[in-house]
Amino acid sequence: MTAIDPDPAHDDAHNPARPAYDRARLLAWMAEHGIAQTTFDHPAVFRVEEGLDLKADLPGLHTKNLFLKDKKGRLWLISAAQDTLIDLKRAHRAMGSDRLSFGNETLLWETLGVRPGSVTALGLINDTDRRVTFVLDRRLWDADTVNFHPLANTATTALSQNDFRRVLELLDREPIVVDFSALA
């Protein structure tokens, strides 16, 4: 028997606000732009702790991603190394925002085209209205290889730093780089 989700917002095929890019289109876009990547399929991972064993054999720095909203309604995406401690009570000052709280699922879907558990910097490809400000952990900015979900939490995509920066350049995104370890 198949479970049916009664929430029509979860039925992407019938959702008028369906994002332009899903995993397949994202990976095709990367190929069209000469961005080298390696994508590893794995069981769904919803929290960093769940994926530690899966990621142990994958090269590069792995990420955690936080979708946030500040008191003024501005949206923020923080991508950090998976073991980075992010103190939201201190981070907002370094980012130039007001107090932060987590953004809701509807905003996440509308802006980045992903569901909770699949938050990723690669979701910026769906933020064509540029509503989300991107904040990047200094450790990711300096890493040789970075790993993100390719818009779905059932895979991990590895990119060299040069290819990751090329993605950001093609999306016309200049991240705010923050050394979160210095804030701890």
Side-chain angles (χ1 to χ4, degrees), residues 11 15 23 28 34 41 58 75 77 94 99 109 114 116 138 145 162 166:
D11 184 3
N15 188 341
R23 174 189 164 164
D41 290 303
L58 303 180
L75 303 177
L77 172 64
R99 289 283 184 158
W109 179 252
V114 296
R138 165 74 54 199
T145 302
N162 287 339
R166 177 83 174 118

Side-chain angles (χ1 to χ4, degrees), residues 1-8 10-11:
M1 178 181 260
T2 303
I4 297 174
D5 186 347
D7 183 356
H10 286 130
D11 184 3

Side-chain angles (χ1 to χ4, degrees), residues 19 105 108-116 118-120 123 126 150-152:
E105 183 175 351
L108 178 61
W109 179 252
E110 288 173 1
T111 56
L112 300 180
V114 296
R115 300 287 183 207
S118 297
V119 180
T120 172
N126 284 317
L151 307 180

Side-chain angles (χ1 to χ4, degrees), residues 2 10 13 34 37 40 43 45 55 57 63 65 71 77 79 107 111 116 118 124 131 134 140 157 160 164-165:
T2 303
H10 286 130
Q37 56 79 26
F40 304 92
V45 174
K55 298 173 187 176
D57 295 329
T63 60
N65 299 273
K71 285 188 341 184
L77 172 64
S79 292
L107 278 173
T111 56
S118 297
L124 293 168
R131 293 174 58 192
F134 183 44
L140 290 180
T157 296
S160 71
F164 177 56
R165 290 186 187 189

Side-chain angles (χ1 to χ4, degrees), residues 39-59:
T39 297
F40 304 92
D41 290 303
H42 52 68
V45 174
F46 292 92
R47 294 186 334 266
V48 169
E49 300 79 28
E50 293 175 9
L52 293 177
D53 291 341
L54 295 170
K55 298 173 187 176
D57 295 329
L58 303 180

Side-chain angles (χ1 to χ4, degrees), residues 27-151:
L27 297 179
W29 177 86
M30 287 183 181
E32 289 167 19
H33 289 89
I35 296 167
Q37 56 79 26
T38 304
T39 297
F40 304 92
D41 290 303
H42 52 68
V45 174
F46 292 92
R47 294 186 334 266
V48 169
E49 300 79 28
E50 293 175 9
L52 293 177
D53 291 341
L54 295 170
K55 298 173 187 176
D57 295 329
L58 303 180
L61 201 54
H62 295 275
T63 60
K64 66 177 167 187
N65 299 273
L66 306 176
F67 180 70
L68 305 163
K69 183 177 180 179
D70 71 16
K71 285 188 341 184
K72 293 183 179 177
R74 293 181 299 179
L75 303 177
W76 302 83
L77 172 64
I78 297 176
S79 292
Q82 71 182 2
D83 60 348
T84 299
L85 175 64
I86 299 175
D87 180 352
L88 294 181
K89 292 178 183 173
R90 300 174 104 184
H92 72 94
R93 287 185 208 95
M95 296 165 39
S97 75
D98 287 319
R99 289 283 184 158
L100 297 161
S101 60
F102 286 94
N104 67 42
E105 183 175 351
T106 300
L107 278 173
L108 178 61
W109 179 252
E110 288 173 1
T111 56
L112 300 180
V114 296
R115 300 287 183 207
S118 297
V119 180
T120 172
L122 299 176
L124 293 168
I125 197 168
N126 284 317
D127 184 25
T128 56
D129 293 334
R130 302 179 57 79
R131 293 174 58 192
V132 179
T133 300
F134 183 44
V135 179
L136 188 66
D137 181 7
R138 165 74 54 199
R139 290 176 57 206
L140 290 180
W141 186 249
D142 294 338
D144 292 334
T145 302
V146 293
N147 292 278
F148 293 98
H149 287 310
L151 307 180

Side-chain angles (χ1 to χ4, degrees), residues 158-174:
L159 297 161
S160 71
Q161 187 60 241
N162 287 339
D163 283 311
F164 177 56
R165 290 186 187 189
R166 177 83 174 118
V167 167
L168 294 177
E169 179 184 313
L170 288 166
L171 298 178
D172 193 27
R173 292 300 186 125
E174 184 72 31

